[in-house]
Amino acid sequence: MLPLDDATLLGLLKEDAPYGDLTTRSLGFGAAPGRLTMRARGPMTVCGTEEAARILTLLGARAEIAAPSGTAVPAGTVLAEATGPAEPLFLGWKVAQTLTEWASGVATGAAAIVGAARAVAPGIGVACTRKAVPGTRALSLKAILAGGAEIHRTGLSDTVLLFPEHRAFGGPEALAAQIGMLRLACPERRVVVEVKTLAEAETAAEAGADVLQLEKFPPEEAAAAARALAGWTGCLAAAGGITPENAAAYAATGMQVLVTSAPYYAKPADVSVTLAPA
């Protein structure tokens, strides 16, 4: 994905330092040459170094990316460096660091689920939902891609997902009719149906769903659904509560896709910054 645009990055800077850096300005060494270096304190999957470098560049520093988004790095790896006058380095320091820590935490969380699942089922997909922290969706989606996951849906406008709540508005026998309406209205889209029981899954498969999203099925129930639907040619996806700790168990059930929101709430990665005279 493309880096965040300049307007968004400048907005982050304005939020943090609307009138500049009072401390550095008051100390009077803003024009002195300096060097800022960002390093990984622990192993991580990197995300956000492009944005970090651009933040510092927008302020007048010269920045270089050492570890692009999507790179898995060990502790101590240099992620990015910048040189220039001290004032812009101090001004952009924390915004660049915090953005990289948060995005790398999401990417590392996604990579952990992908790694655990594919150790059991190499061909399985891991897709992250649209339930990112409000206001962070663009960076969140970049981060989960950096971690090796895929986008489940960017929003309500790009995919067809039929929830039980939709079916409630059509009455108890609405499912087949609603699937038919969706096929007419969105012929180029696959029809995904969320189900909460095996009986619902069997009914939706028979009604013509392309994808069954098994909502909060424990692994043993997901495995039972896969066995019961062995002759069905659609796609089975498990959703709800999937984490690095249980991803392997879900991958062993016969699911083709694991759908998760967990990476968005992962602990930020730890990035150290040194800022010293050049």
Side-chain angles (χ1 to χ4, degrees):
M1 289 184 66
L2 294 174
L4 296 185
D5 60 79
D6 288 356
T8 300
L9 298 177
L10 288 169
L12 296 176
L13 287 167
K14 289 176 182 178
E15 178 183 60
D16 193 52
Y19 306 108
D21 176 0
L22 178 60
T23 305
T24 304
R25 186 169 67 240
S26 299
L27 289 171
F29 59 72
R35 177 179 293 275
L36 183 151
T37 304
M38 301 171 60
R39 294 179 184 272
R41 286 190 190 273
M44 66 176 67
T45 298
V46 178
C47 184
T49 46
E50 295 83 7
E51 286 79 8
R54 184 60 181 162
I55 285 167
L56 294 162
T57 301
L58 287 169
L59 292 169
R62 295 177 298 280
E64 294 185 2
I65 300 164
S69 292
T71 308
V73 301
T77 301
V78 173
L79 305 180
E81 291 189 293
T83 57
E87 187 166 1
L89 296 178
F90 275 95
L91 192 59
W93 168 12
K94 283 298 178 183
V95 176
Q97 179 185 17
T98 302
L99 184 151
T100 304
E101 288 184 326
W102 184 83
S104 296
V106 174
T108 303
I113 294 177
V114 171
R118 290 184 180 162
V120 174
I124 198 167
V126 175
C128 292
T129 71
R130 62 188 176 93
K131 292 167 64 176
V133 175
T136 70
R137 189 170 298 180
L139 188 57
S140 294
L141 295 181
K142 177 177 177 175
I144 62 102
L145 291 173
E150 299 297 331
I151 299 170
H152 180 240
R153 56 199 318 219
T154 60
L156 290 176
S157 305
D158 70 341
T159 56
V160 174
L161 176 48
L162 186 60
F163 286 103
E165 291 78 5
H166 291 118
R167 302 199 290 275
F169 279 83
E173 305 300 323
L175 181 57
Q178 287 183 332
I179 289 175
M181 292 172 66
L182 290 170
R183 290 205 185 285
L184 285 173
C186 313
E188 79 285 11
R189 300 284 199 268
R190 292 205 293 177
V191 178
V192 184
V193 179
E194 182 185 273
V195 295
K196 297 187 177 181
T197 67
L198 175 56
E200 287 184 2
E202 291 174 326
T203 299
E206 193 171 316
D210 298 305
V211 181
L212 296 179
Q213 186 163 296
L214 312 184
E215 176 66 12
K216 296 191 185 302
F217 279 48
E220 61 275 13
E221 292 182 16
R227 291 192 296 270
L229 294 163
W232 181 61
T233 58
C235 175
L236 284 174
I242 294 169
T243 67
E245 291 72 30
N246 63 23
Y250 275 102
T253 63
M255 296 295 106
Q256 289 141 290
V257 181
L258 304 183
V259 180
T260 180
S261 305
Y264 300 138
Y265 306 97
K267 181 181 178 181
D270 196 350
V271 174
S272 72
V273 172
T274 57
L275 205 174

